Amino acid sequence: MAARRPLIAGNWKMYKTSAEAADFARRFVPLVSGVADRDIMIAPAFTALETVAGILKATNVALGAQNLFWESEGAFTAEISPKMLAAAGCRYVIIGHSERRQLFGETDDTVNRRVRAALPAGLIPVMCVGETEKERDAGQTLSVLDKQVRNGLKNLVANELGTLVIAYEPVWAIGTGKTATKEQAQAAHQFIRSLVSNLFPAELAVAMRILYGGSVKPENISELMAMDDIDGALVGGASLNPESFGKIVCY
Ligand code: PGA
């Protein structure tokens, strides 16, 4: 794991107005300014991106968005293009979060389109995958991950894969307080890495960062990060407070 630079990312979902996001950013930046050995990202709502970008400029905290559309411009009411995100100061974009899949009709195919649009715009996609509780109970975890990763990365060639990050987020662990055990998470991460090494040159799979997400808190981050194939975290609830997210970043 040592060779991969950890990434600790906050997904704010539909929380925080622009003013609240700015307040967070001003309080959070000094808490993590001394951190040099890992990457840090926060993903506010679209409406707060530019304000937060201004505060994060020249700091070690990067900005991310929570979604994008795959076309670069056009008559697509309410959609946001990769170019718009890059111009707003985003470095990362979360794609295919389970809430998008479950509530907003996102499919493996639309995830794939978004991933393929993000990369040429210079955005780092954080592609989310994960099984539901029902799928886990039915013993389908690995087959679900196989399908989501394979389809999500379809038609990407090795030199496009670049900086892509995968986030393993078991749906049953999101916002529920139920974290996957470190062994469950490690097994899923190892599976994803070996699948990626079957699809792309092995060195890309070795270099790829795989984040764990689902009820990550200051209390459980260290044991998760100690696992070989866990390279960071995608944090929802616990990223909304600067002190708690600061503790997670500084695990
Ligand atoms: P949670 O959310 O940390 O609140 O469980 C994680 C996520 O949805 O990315």
Side-chain angles (χ1 to χ4, degrees):
M1 202 207 79
R4 291 183 292 269
R5 188 173 162 87
L7 167 63
I8 307 292
N11 170 17
W12 285 356
K13 311 192 179 186
M14 199 175 72
Y15 292 100
K16 297 193 192 293
T17 62
S18 188
E20 289 163 349
D23 180 59
F24 176 107
R26 283 193 202 95
R27 287 162 58 198
F28 178 66
V29 162
L31 299 179
V32 298
S33 60
V35 174
D37 60 349
R38 60 202 69 169
D39 292 334
I40 309 167
M41 179 269 265
I42 51 179
F46 290 131
T47 47
L49 288 175
E50 290 202 326
T51 303
V52 174
I55 299 167
L56 299 184
K57 214 171 176 165
T59 73
N60 58 339
V61 182
L63 188 68
Q66 300 174 19
N67 194 16
L68 51 55
F69 189 54
W70 52 81
E71 295 290 349
S72 52
E73 61 181 16
F76 303 107
T77 300
E79 295 299 326
I80 307 277
S81 74
K83 193 172 88 180
M84 291 170 179
L85 294 182
C90 290
R91 180 86 187 98
Y92 293 84
V93 59
I94 299 170
I95 294 176
H97 188 278
S98 64
E99 287 149 17
R100 302 298 317 164
R101 293 177 189 260
Q102 297 201 314
L103 304 173
F104 300 100
E106 188 90 59
T107 63
D108 289 348
D109 176 58
T110 57
V111 168
N112 177 249
R113 288 172 184 234
R114 292 183 213 280
V115 166
R116 286 192 289 140
L119 289 165
L123 296 166
I124 302 176
V126 178
M127 184 180 89
C128 302
V129 297
E131 80 287 0
T132 62
E133 185 150 44
K134 203 163 141 222
E135 289 162 343
R136 176 164 282 268
D137 290 347
Q140 294 166 349
T141 298
L142 300 185
S143 63
V144 168
L145 295 178
D146 183 276
K147 182 179 132 316
Q148 291 178 340
V149 171
R150 212 177 268 280
N151 292 337
L153 301 181
K154 213 170 176 163
N155 297 328
L156 276 181
V157 294
N159 68 3
E160 288 174 318
L161 196 67
T163 51
L164 181 125
V165 174
I166 293 181
Y168 169 61
E169 299 207 304
V171 178
W172 48 272
I174 295 179
T176 57
K178 274 197 237 172
T179 321
T181 64
K182 55 188 195 301
E183 293 82 10
Q184 284 170 324
Q186 165 60 23
H189 284 223
Q190 196 172 30
F191 174 79
I192 292 168
R193 198 179 305 284
S194 74
L195 172 60
V196 173
S197 76
N198 291 334
L199 302 172
F200 296 94
E203 62 272 19
L204 292 180
V206 170
M208 172 178 283
R209 294 185 290 188
I210 306 177
L211 314 184
Y212 169 78
S215 298
V216 173
K217 318 180 253 285
E219 296 74 35
N220 59 21
I221 181 72
S222 301
E223 62 176 43
L224 289 162
M225 291 304 294
M227 305 308 281
D228 279 354
D229 287 289
I230 301 184
D231 311 311
L234 183 55
V235 186
S239 73
L240 292 169
N241 171 282
E243 283 74 33
S244 94
F245 193 46
K247 280 188 195 148
I248 294 174
V249 167
C250 301
Y251 66 88

